[in-house]
Amino acid sequence: MIGGQADSITYAVKAALVSASLNSFALDYVARSAVGGSNLNFFILKQLPLPHPRTFGEQCSWELSISLAEWLVPRVLELTYTSLEMEPFARDLGFFGSPLVWEDFRRFNLRAELDAAFFHLYGIKRDDVAYIMETFPIVKRKDIAAYGSYRTKEAILEIYDEMRKSEQLGKPYQTRLDPPPANGWVPPPLPPLEDYMDPNLGEAAADGVVAERRATYAPVKPTKLAAPARPGPNLFEPPVPTLFDDVEEPEAPAPPQAVIGKATINGQPAEILKIIQLDATRTQYQVILESTGELKSYVSPPAKVEVFDAK
């Protein structure tokens, strides 16, 4: 393979892996603890704990015959290459077939497999996975409204358990997709997925920089962090103060919404912030419970709502 083709595959694979990382629930959970407003500033993006590129070149622990990148890339490809507009990306990955069919059921399972994989990759325990998924109330509410249960959480936990069992037994994880992701396509041999290294730093120093960045969430000036990495807090704890002195201040939180009325929700007194008519029979109420001060959202029916003095 000539150098230009190798470079194209390297860049495309890195783009696929970064996209998969940034779209995972695991990284989304971390990002929300650092974002102070409605936009994601570059200094926050630089603090997010993206896995080191070398990690993706390591053996996949639930399918030992391939690397983690070789397991992830076909799934990213099928989710991405659904029209000819994405053909250049697919070709750079080494895939020369037609666009892959958009099927909602397959896409749901592909995303669930990717999310379960990243929870394993970050070393998140099962109980913590369950807790993290409960912090996405909009996903939960939409799942319950459409399917009667929180199916996203349930699917991720089921796949997470299957991957753990595969690791313990040394047997390949069996995808629930038929045909397998990207119709069974396997990426060509991948070039080494090295991170960018400052030419003035040695290998050990550069590894120290990466480990320090993961441990503290802080943007790192490599020349200041050439020492070996030291243990840091769990990646899913709130971020520590940044090491930069000239960092932009996060945006101030949005002002509280005005109360437009009062109601009882399932017998609990509440102040109404917003009323949304979802369809002919269902209405959504965004409220603050007077007893606890919690911000909640209810859909009636099934919630029992009695409104007083709505503006």
Side-chain angles (χ1 to χ4, degrees):
M1 179 178 291
I2 64 175
Q5 290 174 324
D7 288 343
S8 294
I9 289 179
T10 301
Y11 292 134
V13 168
K14 285 185 177 181
L17 296 174
V18 168
S19 175
S21 302
L22 293 176
N23 282 282
S24 67
F25 280 112
L27 198 67
D28 192 330
Y29 176 77
V30 177
R32 288 184 299 150
S33 70
V35 177
S38 59
N39 62 310
L40 184 64
N41 291 316
F42 282 108
F43 77 89
I44 294 178
L45 182 62
K46 292 177 181 179
Q47 297 177 55
L48 298 180
L50 286 169
H52 191 286
R54 291 195 195 98
T55 302
F56 295 111
E58 296 172 357
Q59 188 180 51
C60 179
S61 59
W62 53 87
E63 195 160 337
L64 300 177
S65 62
I66 59 176
S67 69
L68 187 59
E70 290 169 326
W71 191 91
L72 293 169
V73 168
R75 289 161 172 81
V76 177
L77 174 68
E78 181 167 341
L79 288 169
T80 306
Y81 184 35
T82 57
S83 77
L84 289 174
E85 293 180 353
M86 295 302 296
E87 185 177 37
F89 176 65
R91 299 295 181 259
D92 284 345
L93 284 175
F95 182 84
F96 294 93
S98 301
L100 298 159
V101 177
W102 180 300
E103 294 182 6
D104 288 338
F105 176 76
R106 286 183 62 86
R107 295 179 66 83
F108 170 77
N109 282 288
L110 286 165
R111 291 195 301 268
E113 287 188 337
L114 288 171
D115 280 306
F118 275 97
F119 280 126
H120 275 291
L121 180 58
Y122 282 109
I124 310 301
K125 296 180 179 179
R126 191 186 193 281
D127 288 346
D128 294 329
V129 175
Y131 167 77
I132 289 171
M133 292 306 302
E134 287 295 329
T135 66
F136 292 89
I138 296 176
V139 179
K140 180 178 181 179
R141 184 173 68 246
K142 289 184 176 180
D143 272 7
I144 292 174
Y147 307 104
S149 67
Y150 193 179
R151 71 161 188 163
T152 301
K153 173 185 174 182
E154 293 165 0
I156 290 173
L157 288 175
E158 287 174 7
I159 296 171
Y160 180 96
D161 291 339
E162 291 168 10
M163 289 177 172
R164 177 66 71 209
K165 186 176 180 180
S166 294
E167 290 175 334
Q168 294 170 346
L169 299 178
K171 296 182 179 180
Y173 163 77
Q174 296 296 319
T175 181
R176 53 187 63 188
L177 296 169
D178 185 20
N183 295 327
W185 171 78
V186 178
L190 300 178
L193 301 174
E194 297 295 325
D195 196 272
Y196 169 76
M197 298 298 181
D198 190 318
N200 298 318
L201 291 176
E203 184 77 9
D207 283 342
V209 170
V210 173
E212 185 72 14
R213 184 184 299 132
R214 287 178 171 180
T216 64
Y217 286 14
V220 176
K221 293 180 178 178
T223 54
K224 292 185 178 182
L225 292 173
R230 61 179 184 273
N234 184 289
L235 289 177
F236 290 86
E237 292 176 356
V240 300
T242 177
L243 299 180
F244 282 128
D245 297 326
D246 54 351
V247 182
E248 302 176 28
E249 291 294 328
E251 294 182 1
Q257 295 178 266
V259 174
I260 64 171
K262 291 184 176 291
T264 59
I265 311 289
N266 295 334
Q268 301 182 72
E271 295 181 328
I272 303 173
L273 301 180
K274 185 181 292 187
I275 301 175
I276 304 171
Q277 191 68 42
L278 300 178
D279 53 39
T281 60
R282 296 185 306 153
T283 305
Q284 179 179 333
Y285 298 88
Q286 294 180 6
V287 303
I288 298 176
L289 297 180
E290 293 184 358
S291 57
T292 63
E294 293 179 276
L295 179 64
K296 293 283 190 178
S297 181
Y298 294 90
V299 175
S300 174
K304 297 180 180 179
V305 179
E306 186 176 359
V307 177
F308 307 97
D309 303 326
K311 299 177 183 178

